[in-house]
Amino acid sequence: MHAWFDAPIGLLKITGSTAEGITEIKYFNEMPPHAVRGNIPACLDECFTQLEEYFSKKRTFFTVKMTFRGTDFQQQVWNELLEIPYGQTTSYLKIAMKLGDRKAVRAIGGACNQNPIPIIAPCHRVIGINGSLVGYNSGIHIKQELLMLENPMAFGKQISLWSL
């Protein structure tokens, strides 16, 4: 089941089921021609509530049930994303080192790029080791907006890397 969520950063298609919880969040610039807005399925209702709270700065972490679909390595990376505190960032290199292979930086970036549940699994909080905003599947401007939402003071000056 899926439903459309109007977020300040654009239109989000939320997909999930009662058994698995949230399985995918995809960004859209506009409603696809075949898409229909409708009632929010009960299995997605809590996700909508938590996203509304997040975007209104009333929520700093998510508790919705979710299921990652991907390789074991991707799931390891996505689970690491869940450990990055709200309003803070880390680097691809620090995640690679935490997973035991500092040479896996590009693979970490690839896994972040394939993250099926962005925002909730906050790949936007992963930046380059030099503090640059690199690589975000839906565009750097979305990454920037999410970081500004979470911590406008730090982002406006310098993003500090969270120590893993």
Side-chain angles (χ1 to χ4, degrees):
M1 293 186 212
H2 70 269
W4 298 90
F5 180 84
D6 287 309
I9 57 168
L11 192 60
L12 304 175
K13 180 182 177 185
I14 315 291
T15 304
S17 68
T18 302
E20 295 182 301
I22 304 307
T23 56
E24 185 176 55
I25 296 176
K26 289 184 87 168
Y27 293 97
F28 286 83
N29 290 326
E30 58 187 50
M31 191 78 117
H34 65 280
V36 177
R37 280 195 172 97
N39 293 334
I40 302 167
C43 64
L44 304 180
D45 189 53
E46 183 60 25
C47 181
F48 271 58
T49 297
Q50 290 190 22
L51 284 169
E52 287 168 356
E53 292 169 352
Y54 170 80
F55 284 111
S56 64
K57 301 185 103 180
K58 295 176 184 168
R59 175 171 290 276
T60 60
F61 63 94
F62 293 90
T63 59
V64 293
K65 180 179 177 181
M66 65 184 143
T67 300
F68 289 123
R69 295 180 182 155
T71 67
D72 289 343
F73 176 77
Q74 287 173 325
Q75 290 186 44
Q76 266 188 302
V77 172
W78 300 334
N79 280 305
E80 286 300 319
L81 299 176
L82 299 173
E83 301 299 318
I84 307 168
Y86 177 90
Q88 297 184 39
T89 59
T90 192
S91 70
Y92 298 97
L93 177 61
K94 287 191 179 211
I95 293 175
M97 289 171 37
K98 188 167 183 190
L99 294 179
D101 184 0
R102 67 179 294 118
K103 293 180 183 177
V105 173
R106 287 188 188 270
I108 301 294
C112 287
N113 186 51
Q114 296 299 311
N115 176 9
I117 311 175
I119 303 171
I120 293 173
C123 52
H124 61 277
R125 297 179 190 155
V126 185
I127 62 176
I129 192 67
N130 64 356
S132 61
L133 301 184
V134 294
Y136 195 67
N137 191 354
S138 298
I140 297 297
H141 66 288
I142 300 286
K143 185 175 201 165
Q144 184 176 16
E145 289 292 322
L146 292 169
L147 291 170
M148 289 278 291
L149 170 76
E150 292 182 9
N151 193 343
M153 296 303 286
F155 185 75
K157 298 175 185 173
Q158 175 184 4
I159 298 174
S160 60
L161 290 175
W162 173 58
S163 298
L164 291 174

